[in-house]
Structures are given as C-alpha cells and as structure tokens.
Amino acid sequence: MPRRGLILQTRTHWLLLGLALLCSLVLFLYLLECAPQTDGNASLPGVIGENYGKEYYQALLQEQEEHYQTRATSLKRQIAQLKQELQEMSEKMRSLQERKNVGGNGIAYQGNKEQAPSDLLEFLHSQIDKAEVSIGAKLPSEYGVIPFESFTLMKVFQLEMGLTRHPEEKPVRKDKRDELVEVIEAGLEVINNPDEDDEQEDEDGPLGEKLIFNENDFIEGYYRTERDKGTQYELFFKKADLMEYRHVTLFRPFGPLMKVKSEMIDITRSIINIIVPLAERTEAFAQFMQNFRDVCIHQDKRIHLTVVYFGKEGLSKVKYILESVTRFTKRILAFGEILALE
C-alpha cells in the first residue's frame, strides 16, 4: 500500500507539471498572436535598412522646413500690417499735434500776426501732403471712395442732383461758377508760365512763336472735395492742331478753423413757427391738434401755428377744430390761422 500511494503521488505531480507547461505554451502563443505586426523593411537606420531611413528623415525634414517657412511668412505679413497701422497712428498723432500747435500759435484766432503767415503756409502745405492727391488712401471698401464731378466751360455735371433733380446743374450757382473759372485761369497760368520743376517741354507754334493756351483750349475738368483737407481739380487742355493733351492737377487746401463770433442766444422770447400743409384728412388733423394743445400750448406757449389748407372740402371742419381748441384754451398764447387755397 505505501508503494502504490507513492506511485499515485508521483503521477499526480507530473500531471500538474504537464498542465502548467501546457498553460505556459498556450499563453506564449497568445502573446505572439496579440503582438503588433512589424514591417521588416521599416527597420531603424543601420546596416539593413539604411537607405529607407535616409529618405524617410529627409522627407520629414523637408515637411518641417515648409511648415516653418509658412509660419515665418505669416509672421512677416503680420509684422508688416502692424508697422502700417503704427505708421497710420503716428501720422494721426502728428496731425493732431500740428492742429494743436496751430491753435496754440494763434493762427486760428489771430493771436500772433507776424508768425501767422509762415505758419499758415506750412499748414496749407501739410494739408496737401496729407490729401489723397499726394499719398493716396487705403479705403475699407468701395463706399469710401470720394467721387469726382465733371465740368466744362458751360456746364457742370453733378452726382448729387439736389433740387434740380437733373445731372446737369441748371443754373450753375454763382459761387461754383466763380470757383471753376478761377481754377481754369490758374491751370492756364501753370501751362503758359511753367516752373522749372514742371514736367513739360516748351513748344513752339507753326510760325515759331511760343505756344499759348487759352480758355477755348479747355476740354474738361474733374473735381472732388475731401471735407477735412481740400478740393482736388484735374484739368485737361488741348490745341486743335496738336495730338496731345496738357494735364494739370491743382489742389485748394482748406485753412484752419477761425473764430467768427461767440454769442449767447436768449430763447425766452423766441416764437416757434409751425406750418402745416393739409388736404382733407380731418381726423388726423384733429388728433394733431389734440397733441398740439397738450404739448405746445400748455407747455411751450409761445407757438405760432399756420395751417395751409388745399381745397374747399373739409375746410369748415378744420375751422371748427381750430376754433374749439382756441375756446378750450383760456390763456392761449398761440393762435391758428387758415389759408384757403383754391
């Protein structure tokens, strides 16, 4: 019995050992199956995969270099924009400082009469330097463009048609006519008596005499106004027998602000005049008179109302409304009157 028990114990021991080895083998095979697949060609740079490693890293370096070049270009563009904005801010600050100095030196208020002419001339030149005719302008959109208006010797073509409701201004206002005549005369003076720095050559007439332009040689002109700087004029002249134009650019700079007067206006005795044109619509007029009585008569008092009525239909009702308001207001200081237009 002891010998048989020993044999059974030995077999059990080997059986457990075999099961342990079998489990170890199964676990090893499982780990091999779950391990990530490796590409034999993608080996590290060395003796076996040396050629592929160089190409890979060269492509990687090129990609990084392109990325950094793109980044550097973007930073350069941002730096250029910041420099431009800084320059514009500097110009604005310099302009504000110049205006402050102009006011302090007495140009606008005629404090120092001896210094005023030279400072004023310097200010006018600075206006020309800041205008779009000299340096151009960076506009946010097409809506910021200042349009030109054209004119000839006899006509002025306007973009804002005003009261005439016609592109051609008829009649031309005296101030505008005098302005354009002065501009044409100044352009002729520039052409006929050029300065040394003017880019034009002296030409002779058919008989050898000096070529003189007159107002009949004026073809067309354009002008536009920058409200805070001045008016730009583009003039074109041409002789009938010449195959070229003469182009003259003029600029009339605006001067600094000057005090004309400073006064106090007493409105305690001022009368407000209200004119109401009316045709029928008596119900709306009745509501208006109710508001007029509550606001104008009871509060302001010094009101003069004139009702201009067109036609006869409803006229009696309008008169009745006015009379009822007058009777209702005991201490009335405003009054109404009727003009019946047939």
Side-chain angles (χ1 to χ4, degrees), residues 149-158 168-186 215 218 223 233 235 252:
E149 296 185 358
S150 63
F151 64 96
T152 62
L153 281 177
M154 305 300 298
K155 298 179 180 180
V156 176
F157 301 97
Q158 53 190 358
E168 180 184 346
E169 185 174 354
K170 291 182 179 181
V172 180
R173 292 199 322 266
K174 182 179 183 302
D175 60 331
K176 184 179 292 186
R177 183 173 62 251
D178 295 342
E179 172 197 2
L180 298 180
V181 168
E182 179 187 2
V183 168
I184 295 174
E185 292 177 352
E215 61 181 14
F218 176 69
Y223 71 95
Y233 304 91
L235 309 178
R252 188 195 299 272

Side-chain angles (χ1 to χ4, degrees), residues 5 26 30 33 42 49 54 60 142 254 289 304 310 314 326 335:
V26 171
Y30 176 76
E33 290 294 331
K54 286 184 179 180
L60 183 63
E142 66 273 18
F254 292 156
M289 289 304 301
H304 187 102
F310 295 88
T326 304
F335 57 97

Side-chain angles (χ1 to χ4, degrees), residues 215-265:
E215 61 181 14
N216 294 325
D217 299 322
F218 176 69
I219 303 300
E220 192 176 19
Y222 303 93
Y223 71 95
R224 65 176 178 179
T225 300
E226 296 181 60
R227 301 295 183 184
D228 58 338
K229 298 179 182 67
T231 304
Q232 174 186 350
Y233 304 91
E234 303 289 340
L235 309 178
F236 297 89
F237 299 85
K238 184 182 182 301
K239 286 285 187 181
D241 53 348
L242 294 180
M243 297 301 295
E244 63 181 13
Y245 285 86
R246 291 292 182 91
H247 176 207
V248 178
T249 299
L250 301 177
F251 191 83
R252 188 195 299 272
F254 292 156
L257 296 175
M258 300 184 65
K259 183 181 70 175
V260 177
K261 65 178 179 179
S262 176
E263 61 181 358
M264 181 172 55
I265 300 176

